[in-house]
Amino acid sequence: MGRRRGMMSEQFKIELAKELGFYDTVKAEGWGGITTRDAGNMVKRAVQLAEEALAARRS
């Protein structure tokens, strides 16, 4: 089985990491250096932004 391609662009992930306060860790250690909690918070924020964009589109 091949590796799954990520859904979020690298730039979007960087913006989220900066917003959530763990970009320094990403810069120093790469994405493997973040905690599971940070990764979960990043996904939650991405979903929240997507829902907001969808709601704005419907209005």
Side-chain angles (χ1 to χ4, degrees):
M1 182 186 292
R3 185 179 164 121
R4 246 174 86 167
R5 187 167 180 236
M7 297 295 290
M8 290 189 269
S9 72
E10 188 70 15
Q11 185 58 40
F12 184 56
K13 290 192 300 187
I14 290 170
E15 288 175 21
L16 289 174
K18 286 178 181 177
E19 179 180 327
L20 297 171
F22 56 86
Y23 179 66
D24 289 340
T25 302
V26 173
K27 214 167 43 171
E29 303 175 33
W31 291 108
I34 67 172
T35 65
T36 304
R37 176 172 283 164
D38 287 339
N41 286 337
M42 189 169 69
V43 171
K44 278 199 274 189
R45 182 66 178 137
V47 169
Q48 181 183 28
L49 290 171
E51 288 174 344
E52 289 171 5
L54 186 60
R57 213 182 204 189
R58 290 182 177 168
S59 298

